[in-house]
């Protein structure tokens, strides 16, 4: 049973470009979460999605950031017009959405903005 | 909102026990988690404890929860070099997945030979 998959693992963008980060949840999981980790910091919650629905985006910056989890395909975190401050590791987690509902994390995408 | 605090570094000798501590502020936290992160890697779930439990043991790992003091600890028995990593404490409000987790900044566990 494959774990949470994220790609790319490393992404380099110049200021002003767009970054697209992909996350495929574990098999049988219908809930996806995105977190951002700045250097020497813990993870900060950004957004929580179920298929075709954003449940909680309270941690997401209001501008330039968007997330989706379509009926088919991976969840996408999109950052438009990236700035140097967007450089971070972005982690995706998934859960079944029931009971103890533990979140399992992917390996992360490390975004570097030049 | 919820705040989770951890000390930044812990240094122990190989073979000794490591105890990593965590405090949280929201008494309605229902699940508390410990994750391990090795350099350049994602987070690996180590264990979790539900708020109605005081203790949970899993092989070399023992989790203790003091709800009154909002204090959580992770004890690693017989610490090995492979245990060297950053350990994150995280709290959830309900069901573990209904909300995003709130993480501490992580404790760097350093193993001395």
């Amino acid at each position: 049973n494959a774990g949470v998959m994220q790609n790319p693992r490393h992404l380099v963008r110049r200021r002003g470009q767009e970054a697209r980060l992909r996350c495929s949840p574990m098999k049988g999981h219908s809930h996806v979460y995105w977190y951002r980790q700045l250097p020497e910091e813990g993870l900060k919650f950004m957004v929580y999605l179920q298929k075709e629905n954003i449940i909680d985006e309270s941690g997401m910056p209001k501008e330039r950031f968007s997330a989706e989890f379509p009926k088919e395909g991976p969840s996408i975190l999109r950052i438009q017009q990236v700035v140097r401050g967007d450089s971070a590791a972005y982690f995706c987690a998934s859960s079944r959405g029931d009971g103890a509902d533990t979140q399992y994390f992917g390996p992360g995408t490390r975004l570097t903005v030049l | 909102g919820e705040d989770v605090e951890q000390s930044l570094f812990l240094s122990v000798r190989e073979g000794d026990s490591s105890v990593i501590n965590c405090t949280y502020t929201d008494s309605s936290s229902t699940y508390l988690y410990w994750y391990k992160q090795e350099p350049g890697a994602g987070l690996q779930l180590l264990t979790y404890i539900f708020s109605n439990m005081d203790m949970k043991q899993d092989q070399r790992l023992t989790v203790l929860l003091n709800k009154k003091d909002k204090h959580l600890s992770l004890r690693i028995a017989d610490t090995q070099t492979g245990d060297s990593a950053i350990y994150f404490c995280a709290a959830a409000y309900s069901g573990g997945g209904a909300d995003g987790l709130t993480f501490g900044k992580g404790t760097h566990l350093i193993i001395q030979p």
Side-chain angles (χ1 to χ4, degrees), chain A residues 9 31 33 35 37 40-45 48 55-56 91 95 98-108 110, chain B residues 8 31 33 35 37-45 48 88 95-106 108:
Chain A
R9 294 291 305 276
H31 293 213
Y33 309 79
Y35 293 83
Q37 184 181 33
E40 305 302 321
E41 294 282 328
L43 278 73
K44 300 291 185 189
F45 167 74
Y48 161 41
I55 306 302
D56 180 358
F91 290 95
S95 70
D98 62 2
D101 209 21
T102 300
Q103 294 182 28
Y104 293 88
F105 282 78
R110 279 153 182 84
Chain B
L8 290 183
Y31 285 87
Y33 298 83
Y35 286 88
Q37 185 179 36
E38 296 182 76
L43 274 71
Q44 173 193 352
L45 175 67
Y48 66 89
F88 289 96
D99 297 284
L101 299 175
T102 300
F103 282 83
K105 290 189 176 181
H108 294 244

Side-chain angles (χ1 to χ4, degrees), chain B residues 47-65:
Chain B
T47 186
Y48 66 89
I49 189 167
F50 188 47
S51 58
N52 68 353
M53 299 167 65
D54 297 324
M55 186 181 89
K56 182 177 181 181
Q57 189 156 4
D58 183 3
Q59 299 182 337
R60 290 193 299 125
L61 304 179
T62 303
V63 179
L64 295 177
L65 175 60

